[in-house]
Amino acid sequence: MRDILPNQARRWDLVEQKLTRVLQQHAYEAIRLPLLEFTELFARGVGEATDIVEKEMYTLADRDGDSLSLRPEGTASSVRMLQEHGLLYNQTQRVYYAGPMFRYEKPQKGRYRQFYQIGAEAYGFTGPDIDAELIGMAWACWQGLGVESMVNLEINTLGSSEDRQQYRTALVEFLTPKSEQLDDDSRRRLTTNPMRILDSKNPVTQALLNDAPKLPDFVDAQSREHYEGLKQLLVAMQIPFRENPNLVRGLDYYTHTVFEWVTQDLGSQGAVCAGGRYDGLVERLGGRATPGVGFAIGLDRVVLLHEIAVANAEPESEDRSADVYLCVTQPECNGAALVVANALRAALPTLRVRQHMGGGNLKKQLKKADACGAVAAILIDDDSLDQRALTIKHLRDASMGQQTLAFDAGIARLQQL
Ligand code: ATP
Ligand code: MG
């Protein structure tokens, strides 16, 4: 688990704001999920045989012996929440969540044990139009961040859960006689979660799979129609995509549409967003059959992408922790400075105003002002309050010097900086 320091957190805030803004523009509503749930929820929702439940959860015993787990993902909790509060009954829902998820994985660039997701989900819709809306929303996210040229969309259909079952059986029949040639993980998965074998990065396993039964051949007419419908909508929306018949997802709950946005720019941790349809999940968690579809964006990886995109556009990204810095010319002016600082914040709500603390001569204070990257220092003296005047010292352009202006004129000047 890693720390996110102020100079990184600034970028995180920016990226998060841009992403949530896109979701809000689509009228998805925020929900806040608990960090801990009963382990049982994930075992049933995500699936007993998945990597997540088998070996990646942080599980602890409560004081009264209940088994709880830190959430490894958000969808199971969303279903539980909406279900528990009667919000799936006879209605549709479009919601999003954001926050940390926890998985015990091998940490490396782009893969962490506490990582962050922003996820969107829609419940109660059966058609491919909502799948397209969600994919379009992710696309709008990439455009909003200026990383759309760095990501590629891959799609596939898993068919209905019956189709999936039949395919699973055929795949196991095909691979079992060849199990000696499979890599260790894949051999284990043959009995636990065979479809994940398609995901294997092992070249020998991949070669074996060339002649294996193909999932698309097992997909029924209705599911195929859904998939064709989605593809037409993506074309209409001018969202480029690639069909990848080997795309399966690590979580058990997917049916029909699955998709992933991948990048070449982050090494082997290439997936920045993954999602799909999970029509069986609500029922599996004890509710009435309700279709669902959604995605989760991996924020850690998107922040890394944004960093690359911005570094390409403007090599020197700015490192400024305050916009203006208030200095006091005498210690008695501290009170006046606190008042003026608030007046500045009220007049210019997006201005980041930092006040000097702890005394010291003006030269020392100006040094601090410079170090934090502020564009101007405001020098507070005895008259500042009485005269409603602002003395502005420009820090980035020496030719602009220092001026004392009436408060409103000073505000207008600061606004231009
Ligand atoms: P991966 O194949 O990279 O392990 P996943 O299939 O386990 O991903 P999902 O559970 O679908 O991922 O989560 C959606 C997104 O969350 C991923 O596409 C990825 O961007 C991000 N993500 C998943 N696990 C991690 C992690 N340990 N660290 C950082 N980001 C992650
Ligand atoms: Mg994973």
Side-chain angles (χ1 to χ4, degrees), residues 56 103 105 111:
E56 294 176 359
R103 295 183 195 173
E105 298 200 73
R111 187 176 295 285

Side-chain angles (χ1 to χ4, degrees), residues 244-288:
N244 176 358
N246 282 341
L247 178 66
V248 291
R249 305 276 317 117
L251 292 70
D252 261 4
Y253 49 56
Y254 288 105
T255 51
H256 303 290
T257 312
V258 288
F259 56 90
E260 220 167 78
W261 293 88
V262 291
T263 178
Q264 306 292 327
D265 293 86
L266 297 179
S268 53
Q269 270 39 263
V272 291
C273 171
R277 196 163 256 286
Y278 26 86
D279 290 347
L281 181 62
V282 176
E283 213 176 354
R284 189 166 164 158
L285 291 176
R288 292 208 325 187

Side-chain angles (χ1 to χ4, degrees), residues 94-148:
R94 283 183 247 202
V95 297
Y96 74 88
Y97 58 82
M101 305 293 162
F102 303 85
R103 295 183 195 173
Y104 185 80
E105 298 200 73
K106 189 163 163 255
Q108 54 202 287
K109 187 180 174 204
R111 187 176 295 285
Y112 311 99
R113 290 179 172 179
Q114 174 172 334
F115 64 100
Y116 294 77
Q117 287 185 337
I118 294 188
E121 340 224 288
Y123 295 95
F125 303 93
T126 50
D129 43 355
I130 193 79
D131 304 18
E133 174 177 272
L134 280 154
I135 291 175
M137 202 153 76
W139 181 237
C141 285
W142 314 137
Q143 289 178 313
L145 292 172
V147 300
E148 70 275 23

